[in-house]
Amino acid sequence: MRRGGLFSTMRGLFPVMVALIAPVTGHAVERKNAATVSISSSAIMIDGDDRLTPADYARANRLSTAQLATRFGATGIVSCGGAVGTGQLVGADNVVVTAAHVLFAPDGKARASSCVFALDAGGRRQVVELRLDGVISGSRSPYAFPAIRDWAVAPLAAPVAGAHPYRLARTMKVPGAIVLAAAARGTHENPSLQDCRARQVTAEGEGMREVAIDCDAEGGASGAALLDRQGDFLGVYVGFRSTHPGTAGPFSMQHYNFGVTADGDLRQAVTEVVNRGRQLSANR
């Protein structure tokens, strides 16, 4: 089984995989996978690819353009050095939540000295720098620690004007319905929304839960939002575990995507960064 931290990197000619559990033939092992431009990333499809473009999702759920933007319009692209992942505004228009491995490399160092968040909001494209000195994360060495610590909350250098940040939901029900909002496929921006389900708690710690989900994902989805149908933030997508990445199959404990819930330390971090930003604004 491979654990894929599904972001994409534009450097190199082959997938970079860091094994967290040594592979054993015929058994499940856990890996993170950095896809490249020249070779397609591992895609974890549960039965088939049920992701929809935002426009198709709106039509299927009878949402107006305004409703779509208000509920599901806070997810954008995080670019950090050669890595491309997903992030979203949570709690405020200047706070981004993503997966820690989008920002930090396997050696524990920041992937770049400058990382940015890009989002279409207020009728225009906005690209804002992340303030890396203000990041709170479950770990700055996410490849060396359990996946439940693979999250990061980053303040932005400026607010995203006209955006509708996700609100923190109470807690994720497991099992229960969720919406996966991702912004990229591979190294290319390609936003998608999918109705799917949180299936099973696979680990607990730090006041949070790691949850197996039956959503579909591939490179670029790391850090994507797990939402409820009203667009409230339930958690963040981290990666996958599978014995056959790249080949569709039914949900099982040998083939699933997973994320961590917005409880415990992650919830506290969002609240802290939001309050810090409000205090700075009030002091100006």
Side-chain angles (χ1 to χ4, degrees), residues 94 272-284:
N94 59 351
E272 180 177 338
V273 177
V274 168
N275 289 340
R276 189 194 303 162
R278 288 173 179 166
Q279 185 174 2
L280 287 173
S281 297
N283 292 336
R284 288 175 182 168

Side-chain angles (χ1 to χ4, degrees), residues 23-68:
V24 180
T25 302
H27 291 75
V29 296
E30 188 173 325
R31 293 184 180 178
K32 288 193 176 183
N33 172 36
T36 66
V37 170
S38 56
I39 296 179
S40 61
S41 62
S42 295
I44 303 303
M45 300 297 146
I46 310 302
D47 294 323
D49 189 352
D50 296 318
R51 296 171 295 178
L52 299 175
T53 67
D56 286 342
Y57 185 89
R59 281 190 289 271
N61 291 276
R62 299 182 179 180
L63 299 177
S64 67
T65 301
Q67 288 173 319
L68 180 68

Side-chain angles (χ1 to χ4, degrees), residues 78-171:
V78 176
S79 300
C80 195
V84 176
T86 298
Q88 44 277 317
L89 299 171
V90 180
D93 58 8
N94 59 351
V95 176
V96 167
V97 178
T98 187
H101 68 264
V102 175
L103 305 181
F104 301 105
D107 61 5
K109 297 179 181 179
R111 292 188 178 277
S113 59
S114 176
C115 304
V116 298
F117 175 68
L119 180 69
D120 292 325
R124 61 190 176 93
R125 181 70 162 186
Q126 300 182 56
V127 180
V128 184
E129 189 168 352
L130 277 68
R131 289 183 42 235
L132 297 178
D133 59 344
V135 170
I136 300 177
S137 61
S139 172
R140 294 201 172 209
S141 298
Y143 288 83
F145 288 92
I148 206 162
R149 296 176 62 177
D150 197 345
W151 54 266
V153 183
L156 294 176
V160 179
H164 299 279
Y166 299 134
R167 299 169 299 184
L168 283 168
R170 288 187 177 182
T171 191

